[in-house]
Amino acid sequence: DIILTQSPDSLAVSLGERATINCKSSQRVSSTNMNYLAWYQQKPGQPPKLLLYWASTRESGVPDRFSGSGAGTDFTLTINSLQAEDVAVYYCQQYYDVIRTFGQGTRVDIK
Amino acid sequence: EAEWLESGGGLVQPGESLRLSCKFSGFHFNVNAMSWVRQAPGKGLEWVSSITNDGYGTHYAEPVRGRFTISRDNSKDIVYLQMSSLRVEDTAIYYCGKDVGATNGWVDSWGQGTLVTVSS
């Protein structure tokens, strides 16, 4: 199975500052310029919410302060100008393989 | 907008079986693959299983392979997860989700989850 490792496990960022979350895959999840990676946000007591797919395409309705980048085995989720409502756990997930896997999650709090 | 009705969760003893159901409405059910994801108490998300839109393709995470069976009834807009030989470590909230495409991909919307507790 493909293993996704996120870093850091948690971070605290001041309101208005940038948060950066990394996701490293144990093998390439990219092919022919397509990056088979999604990012989700989960708040306490709620199901996950899709933020990005194809590593960098924002889901409809997701604020543009959320952006994704990367290719191959290394990906990044960036939250620009962190807002109070962004406090959550963020997960990357690969769909390159039919056996899908999630990263372990990164908790984002306000400093 | 898609809506879900999840059911079937509850408290069972180790070794017992349980069937989860997830009924969807608000979209053409037979167009999309469907998935189940679980979350143990205080833990992260774990993908469990997916099924293609036509029901012919099924995939499972290693911890549940051979014990869980995913299926769907496109005439009733329902996806099921039959869970057998349940273990304490299967205790989790189980979320059903609608995939974007017909086969492998990402989930773009989720149910609210149903709690499964396996304990003696």
Side-chain angles (χ1 to χ4, degrees), chain A residues 39-61:
Chain A
W39 288 96
Y40 295 91
Q41 174 194 66
Q42 188 181 33
K43 297 181 179 180
Q46 296 183 18
K49 173 188 174 183
L50 176 67
L51 295 177
L52 303 165
Y53 51 93
W54 296 128
S56 61
T57 302
R58 265 188 305 276
E59 172 73 338
S60 175

PDB file of all heavy atoms in Angstrom, chain A residues 39-61:
ATOM      1  N   TRP A  39      -6.960  16.773  -0.789  1.00  0.00           N
ATOM      2  CA  TRP A  39      -6.832  17.302   0.573  1.00  0.00           C
ATOM      3  C   TRP A  39      -8.227  17.493   1.155  1.00  0.00           C
ATOM      4  O   TRP A  39      -9.137  17.999   0.486  1.00  0.00           O
ATOM      5  CB  TRP A  39      -6.106  18.643   0.574  1.00  0.00           C
ATOM      6  CG  TRP A  39      -4.640  18.578   0.301  1.00  0.00           C
ATOM      7  CD1 TRP A  39      -4.003  18.757  -0.893  1.00  0.00           C
ATOM      8  CD2 TRP A  39      -3.601  18.328   1.260  1.00  0.00           C
ATOM      9  NE1 TRP A  39      -2.652  18.638  -0.745  1.00  0.00           N
ATOM     10  CE2 TRP A  39      -2.373  18.376   0.570  1.00  0.00           C
ATOM     11  CE3 TRP A  39      -3.592  18.086   2.644  1.00  0.00           C
ATOM     12  CZ2 TRP A  39      -1.144  18.184   1.206  1.00  0.00           C
ATOM     13  CZ3 TRP A  39      -2.387  17.887   3.282  1.00  0.00           C
ATOM     14  CH2 TRP A  39      -1.170  17.937   2.560  1.00  0.00           C
ATOM     15  N   TYR A  40      -8.353  17.112   2.442  1.00  0.00           N
ATOM     16  CA  TYR A  40      -9.611  17.252   3.163  1.00  0.00           C
ATOM     17  C   TYR A  40      -9.381  18.029   4.459  1.00  0.00           C
ATOM     18  O   TYR A  40      -8.306  17.962   5.052  1.00  0.00           O
ATOM     19  CB  TYR A  40     -10.201  15.883   3.524  1.00  0.00           C
ATOM     20  CG  TYR A  40     -10.612  15.054   2.333  1.00  0.00           C
ATOM     21  CD1 TYR A  40      -9.734  14.176   1.735  1.00  0.00           C
ATOM     22  CD2 TYR A  40     -11.910  15.151   1.820  1.00  0.00           C
ATOM     23  CE1 TYR A  40     -10.115  13.419   0.647  1.00  0.00           C
ATOM     24  CE2 TYR A  40     -12.293  14.388   0.726  1.00  0.00           C
ATOM     25  CZ  TYR A  40     -11.389  13.525   0.147  1.00  0.00           C
ATOM     26  OH  TYR A  40     -11.773  12.765  -0.936  1.00  0.00           O
ATOM     27  N   GLN A  41     -10.437  18.692   4.874  1.00  0.00           N
ATOM     28  CA  GLN A  41     -10.468  19.383   6.152  1.00  0.00           C
ATOM     29  C   GLN A  41     -11.526  18.718   7.023  1.00  0.00           C
ATOM     30  O   GLN A  41     -12.620  18.413   6.539  1.00  0.00           O
ATOM     31  CB  GLN A  41     -10.856  20.848   5.928  1.00  0.00           C
ATOM     32  CG  GLN A  41     -11.071  21.676   7.178  1.00  0.00           C
ATOM     33  CD  GLN A  41     -11.777  22.994   6.853  1.00  0.00           C
ATOM     34  OE1 GLN A  41     -12.929  23.016   6.442  1.00  0.00           O
ATOM     35  NE2 GLN A  41     -11.062  24.098   7.013  1.00  0.00           N
ATOM     36  N   GLN A  42     -11.201  18.486   8.282  1.00  0.00           N
ATOM     37  CA  GLN A  42     -12.210  17.913   9.188  1.00  0.00           C
ATOM     38  C   GLN A  42     -12.249  18.704  10.493  1.00  0.00           C
ATOM     39  O   GLN A  42     -11.225  18.845  11.165  1.00  0.00           O
ATOM     40  CB  GLN A  42     -11.934  16.445   9.485  1.00  0.00           C
ATOM     41  CG  GLN A  42     -13.071  15.785  10.269  1.00  0.00           C
ATOM     42  CD  GLN A  42     -12.820  14.340  10.596  1.00  0.00           C
ATOM     43  OE1 GLN A  42     -11.689  13.924  10.820  1.00  0.00           O
ATOM     44  NE2 GLN A  42     -13.892  13.542  10.633  1.00  0.00           N
ATOM     45  N   LYS A  43     -13.413  19.190  10.811  1.00  0.00           N
ATOM     46  CA  LYS A  43     -13.628  19.884  12.082  1.00  0.00           C
ATOM     47  C   LYS A  43     -14.267  18.929  13.072  1.00  0.00           C
ATOM     48  O   LYS A  43     -14.912  17.955  12.669  1.00  0.00           O
ATOM     49  CB  LYS A  43     -14.503  21.122  11.853  1.00  0.00           C
ATOM     50  CG  LYS A  43     -13.833  22.142  10.939  1.00  0.00           C
ATOM     51  CD  LYS A  43     -14.690  23.369  10.726  1.00  0.00           C
ATOM     52  CE  LYS A  43     -13.976  24.360   9.821  1.00  0.00           C
ATOM     53  NZ  LYS A  43     -14.771  25.589   9.578  1.00  0.00           N
ATOM     54  N   PRO A  44     -14.118  19.177  14.373  1.00  0.00           N
ATOM     55  CA  PRO A  44     -14.630  18.243  15.396  1.00  0.00           C
ATOM     56  C   PRO A  44     -16.112  17.945  15.209  1.00  0.00           C
ATOM     57  O   PRO A  44     -16.925  18.857  15.020  1.00  0.00           O
ATOM     58  CB  PRO A  44     -14.356  18.996  16.694  1.00  0.00           C
ATOM     59  CG  PRO A  44     -13.191  19.864  16.389  1.00  0.00           C
ATOM     60  CD  PRO A  44     -13.388  20.309  14.964  1.00  0.00           C
ATOM     61  N   GLY A  45     -16.433  16.648  15.268  1.00  0.00           N
ATOM     62  CA  GLY A  45     -17.821  16.227  15.184  1.00  0.00           C
ATOM     63  C   GLY A  45     -18.423  16.290  13.799  1.00  0.00           C
ATOM     64  O   GLY A  45     -19.636  16.092  13.646  1.00  0.00           O
ATOM     65  N   GLN A  46     -17.601  16.552  12.790  1.00  0.00           N
ATOM     66  CA  GLN A  46     -18.108  16.665  11.419  1.00  0.00           C
ATOM     67  C   GLN A  46     -17.410  15.662  10.504  1.00  0.00           C
ATOM     68  O   GLN A  46     -16.294  15.231  10.775  1.00  0.00           O
ATOM     69  CB  GLN A  46     -17.871  18.086  10.884  1.00  0.00           C
ATOM     70  CG  GLN A  46     -18.615  19.162  11.626  1.00  0.00           C
ATOM     71  CD  GLN A  46     -18.399  20.529  10.998  1.00  0.00           C
ATOM     72  OE1 GLN A  46     -17.973  20.644   9.839  1.00  0.00           O
ATOM     73  NE2 GLN A  46     -18.707  21.575  11.739  1.00  0.00           N
ATOM     74  N   PRO A  47     -18.076  15.313   9.396  1.00  0.00           N
ATOM     75  CA  PRO A  47     -17.382  14.492   8.394  1.00  0.00           C
ATOM     76  C   PRO A  47     -16.326  15.328   7.688  1.00  0.00           C
ATOM     77  O   PRO A  47     -16.313  16.564   7.813  1.00  0.00           O
ATOM     78  CB  PRO A  47     -18.508  14.089   7.433  1.00  0.00           C
ATOM     79  CG  PRO A  47     -19.527  15.164   7.569  1.00  0.00           C
ATOM     80  CD  PRO A  47     -19.461  15.619   9.001  1.00  0.00           C
ATOM     81  N   PRO A  48     -15.439  14.681   6.948  1.00  0.00           N
ATOM     82  CA  PRO A  48     -14.435  15.448   6.193  1.00  0.00           C
ATOM     83  C   PRO A  48     -15.102  16.332   5.138  1.00  0.00           C
ATOM     84  O   PRO A  48     -16.222  16.071   4.701  1.00  0.00           O
ATOM     85  CB  PRO A  48     -13.579  14.359   5.533  1.00  0.00           C
ATOM     86  CG  PRO A  48     -13.902  13.108   6.243  1.00  0.00           C
ATOM     87  CD  PRO A  48     -15.297  13.245   6.763  1.00  0.00           C
ATOM     88  N   LYS A  49     -14.362  17.349   4.753  1.00  0.00           N
ATOM     89  CA  LYS A  49     -14.806  18.237   3.677  1.00  0.00           C
ATOM     90  C   LYS A  49     -13.703  18.309   2.641  1.00  0.00           C
ATOM     91  O   LYS A  49     -12.538  18.533   2.963  1.00  0.00           O
ATOM     92  CB  LYS A  49     -15.088  19.642   4.228  1.00  0.00           C
ATOM     93  CG  LYS A  49     -15.404  20.679   3.153  1.00  0.00           C
ATOM     94  CD  LYS A  49     -15.479  22.073   3.741  1.00  0.00           C
ATOM     95  CE  LYS A  49     -15.653  23.115   2.654  1.00  0.00           C
ATOM     96  NZ  LYS A  49     -15.649  24.500   3.196  1.00  0.00           N
ATOM     97  N   LEU A  50     -14.062  18.077   1.382  1.00  0.00           N
ATOM     98  CA  LEU A  50     -13.086  18.139   0.302  1.00  0.00           C
ATOM     99  C   LEU A  50     -12.629  19.571   0.071  1.00  0.00           C
ATOM    100  O   LEU A  50     -13.442  20.485  -0.080  1.00  0.00           O
ATOM    101  CB  LEU A  50     -13.702  17.575  -0.983  1.00  0.00           C
ATOM    102  CG  LEU A  50     -12.841  17.645  -2.241  1.00  0.00           C
ATOM    103  CD1 LEU A  50     -11.619  16.719  -2.117  1.00  0.00           C
ATOM    104  CD2 LEU A  50     -13.670  17.275  -3.473  1.00  0.00           C
ATOM    105  N   LEU A  51     -11.305  19.766   0.038  1.00  0.00           N
ATOM    106  CA  LEU A  51     -10.737  21.075  -0.269  1.00  0.00           C
ATOM    107  C   LEU A  51     -10.160  21.129  -1.680  1.00  0.00           C
ATOM    108  O   LEU A  51     -10.456  22.047  -2.443  1.00  0.00           O
ATOM    109  CB  LEU A  51      -9.616  21.412   0.714  1.00  0.00           C
ATOM    110  CG  LEU A  51      -9.964  21.594   2.184  1.00  0.00           C
ATOM    111  CD1 LEU A  51      -8.686  21.844   2.984  1.00  0.00           C
ATOM    112  CD2 LEU A  51     -10.952  22.736   2.382  1.00  0.00           C
ATOM    113  N   LEU A  52      -9.302  20.160  -1.990  1.00  0.00           N
ATOM    114  CA  LEU A  52      -8.561  20.171  -3.248  1.00  0.00           C
ATOM    115  C   LEU A  52      -8.519  18.761  -3.816  1.00  0.00           C
ATOM    116  O   LEU A  52      -8.515  17.779  -3.070  1.00  0.00           O
ATOM    117  CB  LEU A  52      -7.120  20.652  -3.024  1.00  0.00           C
ATOM    118  CG  LEU A  52      -6.891  22.016  -2.385  1.00  0.00           C
ATOM    119  CD1 LEU A  52      -5.442  22.135  -1.912  1.00  0.00           C
ATOM    120  CD2 LEU A  52      -7.207  23.119  -3.371  1.00  0.00           C
ATOM    121  N   TYR A  53      -8.437  18.666  -5.141  1.00  0.00           N
ATOM    122  CA  TYR A  53      -8.200  17.403  -5.818  1.00  0.00           C
ATOM    123  C   TYR A  53      -7.222  17.656  -6.953  1.00  0.00           C
ATOM    124  O   TYR A  53      -6.935  18.828  -7.288  1.00  0.00           O
ATOM    125  CB  TYR A  53      -9.504  16.773  -6.314  1.00  0.00           C
ATOM    126  CG  TYR A  53     -10.383  17.700  -7.125  1.00  0.00           C
ATOM    127  CD1 TYR A  53     -10.291  17.733  -8.515  1.00  0.00           C
ATOM    128  CD2 TYR A  53     -11.311  18.538  -6.501  1.00  0.00           C
ATOM    129  CE1 TYR A  53     -11.085  18.579  -9.259  1.00  0.00           C
ATOM    130  CE2 TYR A  53     -12.117  19.389  -7.239  1.00  0.00           C
ATOM    131  CZ  TYR A  53     -12.002  19.399  -8.618  1.00  0.00           C
ATOM    132  OH  TYR A  53     -12.796  20.250  -9.354  1.00  0.00           O
ATOM    133  N   TRP A  54      -6.708  16.585  -7.539  1.00  0.00           N
ATOM    134  CA  TRP A  54      -5.593  16.716  -8.488  1.00  0.00           C
ATOM    135  C   TRP A  54      -4.487  17.602  -7.901  1.00  0.00           C
ATOM    136  O   TRP A  54      -3.808  18.334  -8.615  1.00  0.00           O
ATOM    137  CB  TRP A  54      -6.040  17.268  -9.834  1.00  0.00           C
ATOM    138  CG  TRP A  54      -6.998  16.396 -10.592  1.00  0.00           C
ATOM    139  CD1 TRP A  54      -8.205  16.776 -11.116  1.00  0.00           C
ATOM    140  CD2 TRP A  54      -6.865  15.003 -10.891  1.00  0.00           C
ATOM    141  NE1 TRP A  54      -8.809  15.712 -11.720  1.00  0.00           N
ATOM    142  CE2 TRP A  54      -8.016  14.605 -11.601  1.00  0.00           C
ATOM    143  CE3 TRP A  54      -5.869  14.034 -10.639  1.00  0.00           C
ATOM    144  CZ2 TRP A  54      -8.210  13.300 -12.051  1.00  0.00           C
ATOM    145  CZ3 TRP A  54      -6.067  12.734 -11.078  1.00  0.00           C
ATOM    146  CH2 TRP A  54      -7.222  12.380 -11.783  1.00  0.00           C
ATOM    147  N   ALA A  55      -4.340  17.534  -6.604  1.00  0.00           N
ATOM    148  CA  ALA A  55      -3.307  18.197  -5.804  1.00  0.00           C
ATOM    149  C   ALA A  55      -3.469  19.708  -5.696  1.00  0.00           C
ATOM    150  O   ALA A  55      -3.025  20.298  -4.710  1.00  0.00           O
ATOM    151  CB  ALA A  55      -1.904  17.884  -6.335  1.00  0.00           C
ATOM    152  N   SER A  56      -4.101  20.337  -6.677  1.00  0.00           N
ATOM    153  CA  SER A  56      -4.122  21.797  -6.669  1.00  0.00           C
ATOM    154  C   SER A  56      -5.433  22.422  -7.143  1.00  0.00           C
ATOM    155  O   SER A  56      -5.545  23.662  -7.174  1.00  0.00           O
ATOM    156  CB  SER A  56      -2.981  22.342  -7.539  1.00  0.00           C
ATOM    157  OG  SER A  56      -3.138  21.918  -8.874  1.00  0.00           O
ATOM    158  N   THR A  57      -6.414  21.618  -7.510  1.00  0.00           N
ATOM    159  CA  THR A  57      -7.688  22.153  -7.983  1.00  0.00           C
ATOM    160  C   THR A  57      -8.646  22.320  -6.817  1.00  0.00           C
ATOM    161  O   THR A  57      -8.971  21.356  -6.129  1.00  0.00           O
ATOM    162  CB  THR A  57      -8.317  21.220  -9.039  1.00  0.00           C
ATOM    163  OG1 THR A  57      -7.414  21.055 -10.121  1.00  0.00           O
ATOM    164  CG2 THR A  57      -9.624  21.815  -9.544  1.00  0.00           C
ATOM    165  N   ARG A  58      -9.071  23.541  -6.578  1.00  0.00           N
ATOM    166  CA  ARG A  58      -9.986  23.813  -5.461  1.00  0.00           C
ATOM    167  C   ARG A  58     -11.391  23.328  -5.762  1.00  0.00           C
ATOM    168  O   ARG A  58     -11.918  23.537  -6.873  1.00  0.00           O
ATOM    169  CB  ARG A  58     -10.033  25.310  -5.142  1.00  0.00           C
ATOM    170  CG  ARG A  58      -9.090  25.748  -4.044  1.00  0.00           C
ATOM    171  CD  ARG A  58      -9.342  27.206  -3.656  1.00  0.00           C
ATOM    172  NE  ARG A  58      -9.256  28.091  -4.804  1.00  0.00           N
ATOM    173  CZ  ARG A  58      -8.112  28.587  -5.255  1.00  0.00           C
ATOM    174  NH1 ARG A  58      -6.974  28.276  -4.663  1.00  0.00           N
ATOM    175  NH2 ARG A  58      -8.124  29.384  -6.313  1.00  0.00           N
ATOM    176  N   GLU A  59     -11.989  22.690  -4.769  1.00  0.00           N
ATOM    177  CA  GLU A  59     -13.391  22.324  -4.865  1.00  0.00           C
ATOM    178  C   GLU A  59     -14.240  23.601  -4.880  1.00  0.00           C
ATOM    179  O   GLU A  59     -13.862  24.623  -4.296  1.00  0.00           O
ATOM    180  CB  GLU A  59     -13.776  21.425  -3.682  1.00  0.00           C
ATOM    181  CG  GLU A  59     -15.259  21.109  -3.531  1.00  0.00           C
ATOM    182  CD  GLU A  59     -15.786  20.133  -4.581  1.00  0.00           C
ATOM    183  OE1 GLU A  59     -15.179  20.002  -5.664  1.00  0.00           O
ATOM    184  OE2 GLU A  59     -16.835  19.515  -4.325  1.00  0.00           O
ATOM    185  N   SER A  60     -15.373  23.523  -5.547  1.00  0.00           N
ATOM    186  CA  SER A  60     -16.275  24.663  -5.601  1.00  0.00           C
ATOM    187  C   SER A  60     -16.627  25.151  -4.199  1.00  0.00           C
ATOM    188  O   SER A  60     -16.967  24.359  -3.315  1.00  0.00           O
ATOM    189  CB  SER A  60     -17.550  24.276  -6.347  1.00  0.00           C
ATOM    190  OG  SER A  60     -18.488  25.322  -6.324  1.00  0.00           O
ATOM    191  N   GLY A  61     -16.517  26.470  -3.996  1.00  0.00           N
ATOM    192  CA  GLY A  61     -16.877  27.052  -2.706  1.00  0.00           C
ATOM    193  C   GLY A  61     -15.750  27.149  -1.707  1.00  0.00           C
ATOM    194  O   GLY A  61     -15.905  27.779  -0.654  1.00  0.00           O
TER     195      GLY A  61
END
